[in-house]
């Protein structure tokens, strides 16, 4: 059975690796760029699972599945490829500002701690004394405490994606980079549901039994070629890499710190990633990066950890996140009207977090109930 995956960000790569473990599939991945270029290349890789406010249904299930899978996936990929994937197992610390509305207040967090406990996950609420003791780098008079999630993680999205690609290649997957899709050939419109027979690309025609669209923002023009446009819009995010030359606070305890949607992510060598802005297009799809917004993210990070004021900015970067218009993210499932086109796109700000669960979901649609799986 031939499967073609379009898009090789973290989601496309995760699907390719997952499917490569199923016997009897011939898998090809196409992308018009090298791997991990678009949203993936700009992501901070902060995996907010247990600490997220999602507590039931698919949104929580996918988070839980992914966080659990990463514990085995990272060592598995490192062993297969010999690559090192930076994976911070020291958890996520969320700072609680006193200005947070009562709904978001401590009682809501206490409630979440209870719910997570019943689901088999651990969360802790820290008062200011405990916070000061364990994370002395955090110093801001308006912080009333913190929530610590020891089982959540942070990883390097580019290193992860490249390892997924290499491991999938070892398992026989073909990757074609610098290949763009020009057109699609489908069964006659009167047949219902329709069948996508082949794609016309800059490297010729590619036929397949299944097509998986995992192209982020590139999914919109692709689905338009099939007359079933899925509307995914860009949301810009900017981040900084800051160098302070030594770890903030306790060198042996370096969790990802987050507060008011600003992340301070230790990446080793006394470097920290700080981000990210959330910038919507004004009109059309152009979003020029707003310097003031990036500066306000930096100032917020300094307000949480004053020592960052002395840090040198090594660089800034930005990327466009794929946000589905008028529907929840992500978009996973059959393309309406087609029997063999699957969507795995529009993950907005959770592509890295949800990649393993998305890969499982796509595998399940192609090979139901794990039949014929290599497990």
């Amino acid at each position: 059975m031939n499967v073609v995956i379009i898009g090789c960000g973290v989601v496309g790569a995760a699907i390719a690796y997952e499917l490569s473990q199923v016997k009897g599939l011939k898998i090809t991945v196409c992308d018009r760029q090298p791997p991990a270029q678009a949203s993936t290349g700009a992501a901070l890789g902060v995996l907010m699972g247990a600490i997220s406010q999602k507590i039931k249904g698919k949104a929580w299930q996918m988070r839980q599945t992914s966080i659990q899978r990463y514990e085995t996936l990272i060592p598995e990929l490192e062993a297969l490829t010999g690559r090192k994937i930076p994976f911070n197992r020291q958890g996520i610390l969320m700072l609680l500002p006193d200005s947070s509305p009562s709904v978001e207040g401590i009682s809501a967090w206490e409630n979440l701690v209870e719910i997570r406990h019943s689901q088999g996950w651990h969360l802790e609420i820290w008062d200011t004394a405990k916070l000061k003791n364990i994370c002395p780098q955090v110093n801001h008079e308006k912080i009333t405490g913190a929530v610590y999630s020891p089982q959540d993680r942070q990883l390097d999205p580019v290193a992860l994606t490249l390892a997924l690609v290499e491991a999938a290649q070892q398992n026989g997957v073909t990757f074609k980079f610098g290949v763009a899709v020009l057109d699609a050939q489908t069964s006659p419109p009167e047949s219902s549901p329709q069948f996508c027979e082949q794609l016309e690309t800059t490297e010729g025609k590619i036929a397949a039994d299944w097509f998986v669209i995992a192209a982020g923002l590139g999914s919109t023009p692709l689905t338009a070629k099939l007359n079933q446009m899925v509307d995914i819009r860009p949301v810009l995010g900017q981040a900084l890499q800051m160098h302070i030359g030594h770890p903030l606070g306790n060198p042996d305890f370096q969790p990802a710190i987050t507060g008011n949607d600003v992340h301070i992510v230790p990446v080793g060598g006394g470097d920290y990633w700080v981000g990210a802005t959330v910038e919507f297009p004004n009109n059309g799809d152009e979003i020029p990066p707003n310097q003031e917004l990036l500066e306000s993210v930096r100032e917020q990070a300094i307000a949480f950890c004053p020592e960052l004021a002395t840090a040198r900015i090594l660089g800034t970067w930005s990327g466009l996140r794929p946000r589905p218009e008028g529907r929840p993210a992500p978009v996973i499932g059959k393309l309406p009207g087609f029997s063999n086109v699957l969507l795995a796109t529009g993950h907005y700000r959770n592509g890295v977090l949800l990649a393993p669960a998305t890969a499982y979901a796509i595998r399940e649609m192609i090979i139901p109930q794990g039949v014929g799986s290599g497990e």
Side-chain angles (χ1 to χ4, degrees), residues 235-298:
V235 178
L236 184 83
Q238 299 183 76
L240 311 137
Q241 180 154 343
M242 299 174 82
H243 176 75
I244 194 157
H246 60 86
L248 294 169
N250 175 357
D252 298 325
F253 184 62
Q254 293 286 303
I257 294 175
T258 182
N260 195 22
D261 217 12
V262 170
H263 303 309
I264 302 167
V265 178
V267 289
D271 283 10
Y272 289 81
W273 288 347
V274 173
T277 63
V278 178
E279 305 173 47
F280 291 89
N282 297 336
N283 41 22
D285 276 353
E286 288 303 302
I287 318 175
N290 180 325
Q291 284 318 115
E292 284 165 27
L293 284 177
L294 185 60
E295 180 53 28
S296 73
V297 164
R298 189 181 79 93

Side-chain angles (χ1 to χ4, degrees), residues 115-126:
I115 291 167
R116 289 292 181 245
H117 186 73
S118 73
Q119 293 169 331
W121 294 82
H122 186 64
L123 282 182
E124 299 168 13
I125 295 176
W126 294 0

Side-chain angles (χ1 to χ4, degrees), residues 323-332 345-346 348:
R323 180 174 177 269
E325 184 65 24
R327 64 194 287 182
V331 181
I332 299 171
T345 186
Y348 189 26

Side-chain angles (χ1 to χ4, degrees), residues 134-200:
I134 299 178
C135 289
Q137 71 268 38
V138 176
N139 184 5
H140 188 292
E141 69 285 356
K142 288 210 169 78
I143 290 168
T144 50
V147 177
Y148 177 56
S149 176
Q151 292 157 298
D152 283 332
R153 301 287 181 254
Q154 182 274 334
L155 54 76
D156 182 319
V158 173
L160 167 68
T161 305
L162 296 178
L164 285 164
V165 168
E166 194 174 315
Q169 273 171 330
Q170 287 181 21
N171 288 346
V173 176
T174 304
F175 286 85
K176 296 184 174 205
F177 298 114
V179 174
V181 176
L182 303 171
D183 209 358
Q185 286 177 335
T186 61
S187 60
E190 56 273 15
S191 67
S192 177
Q194 275 186 276
F195 189 80
C196 180
E197 285 160 5
Q198 55 185 16
L199 296 179
E200 241 170 276

